[in-house]
Amino acid sequence: MKRPILIHPDPRLKKVCVPVADISDELRVLADDMLETMYDAPGIGLAAPQVGILRRVIAMDCVSDEGAAGRPLVMFNPQIIASSDETNVYEEGCLSIPEQYAEVTRPKVVEVEWMDRDGKQQRETFDGLWATCVQHEVDHLDGKLFIDYLKPLKRQMITRKMQKLKRERARD
Ligand code: NI
């Protein structure tokens, strides 16, 4: 089931999320809902706080080739355990900050550990867009948005636009 996505600014997007103890049916439903919400948006990543759940869960699928099979990934308690010195710049966006994009510099390669939906520990190295995406989503779990990497003026400009968007949506 699709869930509504919170729009910045929202206090729930600024919270540090709590780890998941073990995988329950409720968490598997959350995982499915997050993937459905993400694909529907459409987006390549979504973190649980974006749907108002303050737990450490993220969903991703960065397969961009038209016609290629997707790779829906859900991570519980994801942890970045190593990052490359080499960096990459991507123009990032966020489903909680619609239609706003900005370049963010992050490590190019990261090694990530997480628990999968069967409760098994996984570890994998991600590069390129996958690496940027996983770092962006893990940031969400610590209450951090991509605009926090921007200069204050640019961040304030985007925040004001989002406040206006929320007022307009509330009126409709
Ligand atoms: Ni985001």
Side-chain angles (χ1 to χ4, degrees):
M1 201 181 67
K2 244 179 70 185
R3 301 194 187 198
I5 298 174
L6 301 181
I7 302 298
H8 164 75
D10 188 297
R12 288 167 286 182
L13 295 173
K14 305 301 288 176
K15 296 269 195 284
V16 174
C17 297
V18 294
V20 165
D22 21 49
I23 309 296
S24 58
D25 286 344
E26 185 197 342
L27 284 171
R28 285 197 191 92
V29 170
L30 172 66
D32 290 339
D33 287 357
M34 283 174 62
L35 283 170
E36 190 179 339
T37 305
M38 178 189 83
Y39 285 123
D40 179 78
I44 60 170
L46 187 72
Q50 293 181 275
V51 292
I53 307 291
L54 302 181
R55 311 291 300 275
R56 302 190 80 83
V57 186
I58 62 174
M60 290 192 302
D61 186 348
C62 299
V63 175
S64 54
D65 302 345
E66 202 67 47
R71 187 192 176 196
L73 248 185
V74 172
M75 298 179 176
F76 298 93
N77 304 335
Q79 265 189 304
I80 292 162
I81 54 171
S83 313
S84 64
D85 292 333
E86 194 186 347
T87 57
N88 226 349
V89 181
Y90 269 104
E91 182 152 86
E92 295 190 22
C94 181
L95 293 177
S96 292
I97 311 173
E99 283 165 48
Q100 302 298 318
Y101 304 91
E103 287 190 340
V104 178
T105 304
R106 298 181 189 268
K108 183 179 181 291
V109 184
V110 289
E111 194 175 355
V112 184
E113 240 176 35
W114 73 95
M115 185 164 66
D116 69 15
R117 56 189 302 143
D118 300 316
K120 272 205 302 223
Q121 279 301 120
Q122 301 285 346
R123 180 192 287 216
E124 191 174 327
T125 300
F126 294 95
D127 194 348
L129 183 58
W130 281 94
T132 286
C133 188
V134 73
Q135 291 174 82
H136 174 122
E137 300 312 329
V138 170
D139 272 353
H140 272 297
L141 306 182
D142 294 318
K144 193 164 183 183
L145 303 172
F146 83 91
I147 56 171
D148 293 327
Y149 292 91
L150 310 180
K151 295 210 170 71
L153 211 62
K154 171 101 191 193
R155 183 165 64 238
Q156 284 158 19
M157 200 182 75
I158 290 176
T159 298
R160 275 198 292 272
K161 277 187 190 161
M162 291 302 104
Q163 285 165 332
K164 184 160 171 272
L165 175 76
K166 288 175 82 168
R167 280 199 300 273
E168 284 166 2
R169 285 191 180 179
R171 231 180 282 137
D172 294 339

